[in-house]
Amino acid sequence: MLALSSPFACAQQGVSKDEIRIGTIQDLSGPLAGFGKQARNGMQLRVEEINEQGGINGRKLKLYVEDSGYDPKKAVLAAQKLVNQDKIFIMAGHLGTAQNMAAMPVQFDKNVVNFFPITAAREMYEPLNRLKYSFSATYYDQVRGALPALVKEKSAKKVCTIYQDDEFGLEVQRGAEAGLKAAGMELAEKTSFKRGATDFSSQVARMKAAGCDMVVLGTIIRETIGTIAESRKTGFNPVFLGTSAAYTDLIHKLGGKAMDGMYATMTVQNPYTDEQNDKIRFWANKYKTKFNEDPTVFSVYGYSIIDDFAQAAQKAGANLSTDSFIKVMDASTFEPDMFGSPRMTFSATKRLGNNSSRLSQIVDGKWKVVSDYTTTQ
């Protein structure tokens, strides 16, 4: 009983007199390393800015980064290290659907919040758990909301899908089915590939043979480029619609001219260094000066996730704990930022900040926003 009354017995993991420990798991060596490194850089930039301004209620932020290689088994090991050895307060911006699902039990066993994972899967906020917070409209809702209008605009008759054979890809495929159902249609062809695949010739051949005039992409970086490049090469030119998972400047930088015309659902706009918006241009050039490379939308995700965490942690006050953080988050509203993110609201029963997304298209080698936000019901 004496031990339980000690001030150290209930000390909050990851929070000391002068430090708050934040953990993140990124793909730094696997197929999504292009995303993971950018997200890490964005997080680091905001951490350094906050620390230069005095930290949060007198505490400096310290970022702990682990590599999953986009492998769920490695994500579990990374989570175990961050939670049990590094003693993090919060897991922020963990990249990948299957990776988050594998790691969350490790965190939850130690009362560590999973804050704004970089994935748009429904499992990031369902089933309801006091330790889950998600910021992005789901892949399911992104596709379900965007597809009917695009089908109508393009007068598409045969819509098909190619998707990664895992939780991420299946969410996209289900969203396509739901969107088409609302339009009184069904998928003309479904084809999948294993995570890490590099050859998409058989899948493209199937879709071409089915006469698809629109293809929903449950793909990320190289799968998007590989599918579209193979299609162009064989003279197969449907309308391609990807999700926020494929909304990155790496698509047009690595894929070249063949990627022109592709659509993707998205929220925040890609921060080009020659962007017309002064604030975005200034931020993008600051980032490039620090890291010697252009930022991407994943840099923005990382930066914004730390910024949102800092806002809530600041409001939680000097006695920051998991409970005080949750109490603040469950009454929080985050207004749109300079990158055009939608407004987010949270409550004890609402752990997805918003379910809105909009469309961009690659035009002359750059993403261009081409629609307003749509919100699914």
Side-chain angles (χ1 to χ4, degrees):
M1 288 178 70
L2 285 172
L4 288 173
S5 66
S6 160
F8 298 104
C10 56
Q12 172 61 55
Q13 171 169 311
V15 179
S16 66
K17 183 170 67 73
D18 53 12
E19 184 179 81
I20 302 171
R21 298 185 173 192
I22 302 170
T24 189
I25 302 172
Q26 300 296 335
D27 180 0
L28 304 177
S29 60
L32 298 193
F35 288 173
K37 291 175 182 177
Q38 294 277 6
R40 176 201 60 193
N41 289 351
M43 296 175 90
Q44 191 62 51
L45 179 60
R46 189 63 186 126
V47 163
E48 290 179 9
E49 288 178 351
I50 290 167
N51 287 344
E52 286 168 5
Q53 294 158 8
I56 297 172
N57 296 315
R59 296 183 175 106
K60 297 294 179 72
L61 301 181
K62 186 169 182 181
L63 184 65
Y64 291 79
V65 184
E66 289 294 323
D67 177 22
S68 72
Y70 200 52
D71 180 340
K73 292 177 183 176
K74 289 182 180 177
V76 171
L77 297 176
Q80 288 171 339
K81 179 179 183 296
L82 289 168
V83 169
N84 298 322
Q85 293 182 37
D86 298 323
K87 304 287 187 183
I88 60 168
F89 169 64
I90 199 164
M91 184 77 78
H94 180 180
L95 176 69
T97 301
Q99 294 70 26
N100 269 275
M101 291 173 68
M104 279 192 284
V106 175
Q107 300 164 219
F108 296 168
D109 188 52
K110 292 298 177 69
N111 203 33
V112 173
V113 169
N114 200 50
F115 185 75
F116 291 8
I118 304 179
T119 163
R122 281 181 284 183
E123 291 86 354
M124 298 308 106
Y125 65 94
E126 291 180 347
L128 183 67
N129 185 306
R130 68 188 292 270
L131 299 173
K132 288 182 180 181
Y133 290 97
S134 187
F135 74 98
S136 177
T138 64
Y139 300 121
Y140 175 85
D141 279 339
Q142 289 177 33
V143 176
R144 183 169 69 100
L147 191 55
L150 196 60
V151 165
K152 185 176 180 182
E153 179 189 332
K154 301 295 182 180
S155 301
K157 299 293 187 292
K158 289 189 175 183
V159 182
C160 304
T161 182
I162 176 172
Y163 62 94
Q164 187 165 286
D165 187 13
D166 64 3
E167 292 90 345
F168 155 67
L170 285 167
E171 277 288 89
V172 176
Q173 185 249 316
R174 292 170 190 139
E177 288 181 331
L180 287 178
K181 186 177 181 181
M185 297 170 67
E186 292 183 351
L187 285 167
E189 182 64 84
K190 294 183 285 188
T191 182
S192 64
F193 58 89
K194 296 295 182 185
R195 189 188 306 134
T198 56
D199 181 8
F200 307 96
S201 54
S202 63
Q203 290 91 341
V204 168
R206 279 184 64 179
M207 293 187 291
K208 184 178 181 181
C212 309
D213 51 12
M214 183 175 291
V215 173
V216 178
L217 300 165
T219 56
I220 308 183
I221 309 174
R222 66 186 180 193
E223 308 86 10
T224 301
I225 296 168
T227 297
I228 296 177
E230 175 68 20
S231 299
R232 305 288 194 221
K233 189 172 72 176
T234 62
F236 175 50
N237 291 301
V239 175
F240 288 105
L241 171 64
T243 68
S244 58
Y247 177 66
T248 165
D249 68 336
L250 294 173
I251 299 298
H252 54 74
K253 283 183 176 176
L254 300 177
K257 187 68 177 173
M259 302 302 115
D260 266 16
M262 175 194 168
Y263 290 89
T265 52
M266 44 73 75
T267 52
V268 300
Q269 69 184 86
N270 195 87
Y272 294 109
T273 51
D274 60 352
E275 169 60 41
Q276 290 179 334
N277 180 303
D278 290 345
K279 289 182 179 179
I280 295 178
R281 187 172 67 249
F282 177 83
W283 181 89
N285 282 286
K286 179 181 182 180
Y287 179 102
K288 186 171 184 176
T289 299
K290 178 172 178 58
F291 298 109
N292 198 32
E293 62 183 31
D294 289 343
T296 72
V297 71
F298 282 79
S299 313
V300 175
Y301 291 154
Y303 185 89
S304 298
I305 287 165
I306 295 297
D307 186 65
D308 291 337
F309 166 74
Q311 289 181 50
Q314 182 76 35
K315 290 177 185 174
N319 297 319
L320 177 64
S321 66
T322 299
D323 287 346
S324 68
F325 182 80
I326 289 172
K327 185 177 180 181
V328 167
M329 279 298 299
D330 286 353
S332 284
T333 295
F334 296 89
E335 297 298 339
D337 57 25
M338 64 179 168
F339 303 103
S341 63
R343 187 172 184 262
M344 294 190 294
T345 59
F346 295 90
S347 74
T349 56
K350 181 179 181 290
R351 294 308 185 82
L352 174 65
N354 76 90
N355 63 348
S356 302
S357 63
R358 50 186 176 165
L359 273 183
S360 270
Q361 184 181 29
I362 299 178
V363 179
D364 296 328
K366 286 179 71 172
W367 286 106
K368 179 182 177 184
V369 179
V370 293
S371 83
D372 293 329
Y373 278 104
T374 58
T375 302
T376 54
Q377 301 300 321

